[in-house]
Amino acid sequence: MQRILLIEDESSIADTVIYALETEGFMVKWHSLGQEALNDLQQDSDYSLIVLDVGLPDTNGFDLCKAIRRFSEIPIIFLTARNEEIDRIVGLEIGADDYVTKPFSPRELSARVKVILKRTTLSSTYRQKCIFVVDAKKAKIIYHQQELDLTRYEFFILKKLLQQPGRVFSREQIIDDVWTEPHASMDRAVDTHIKTLRQKLKQVDESTDPIKTHRGLGYSISGTVSES
Ligand code: CA
């Protein structure tokens, strides 16, 4: 059964949407706050589509859509009440797939959901975007679709951490892999490069720090990775 995430603060509208989609055999999870929905999505990627209201109490649908697009290509249908919002949805590259204007008929919404799901299933474009892409041949690493400007050591350290996101690598393991002639007191060199790496990652995405320091153990990184 396909799961749909509904983000809408008005419960009467949410009820209508849930009823319409459940009648069509979808399972609907409802959030009335944007942040809640974002947390849910980051932990649970098993949704097929999002129905997103533009006007939310804690954020607006446009910002939320952009935040979601940083890590996911899940189809998004906007619910909108005003014409000027339609201009933004259509005009700007927010990354929405479609929109429905309020008041809408439940049947119209279900029909659009089905069209989009059919389209995405056919082209199978819906997949989680990889946060990191490592191109070992060209010695490049892409982070959130941006190529990082890395020094030689930064590149090798980041590549090492990305071998296995979540795994803790000790400084010794990093040194062994990255330096051809390791010598004493190199731990600090690793720390220095990690520091500059963090700054460079932050320039791309201020909101997260994917490198984690494990006291007395080493470093790990979080995120999805693919190789090109
Ligand atoms: Ca609203």
Side-chain angles (χ1 to χ4, degrees), residues 5-9 14 29-41 47 51 56:
L5 187 68
L6 168 65
I7 310 167
E8 163 65 71
D9 58 310
K29 175 94 175 274
W30 171 39
H31 285 290
S32 52
L33 291 176
Q35 191 56 49
E36 250 174 45
L38 192 62
N39 294 344
D40 185 354
L41 265 176
Y47 291 104
V51 177
L56 293 167

Side-chain angles (χ1 to χ4, degrees), residues 7-10 13 53-57 79 81 102:
I7 310 167
E8 163 65 71
D9 58 310
E10 281 169 71
I13 295 175
D53 182 32
V54 174
L56 293 167
L79 295 180
K102 293 178 185 174

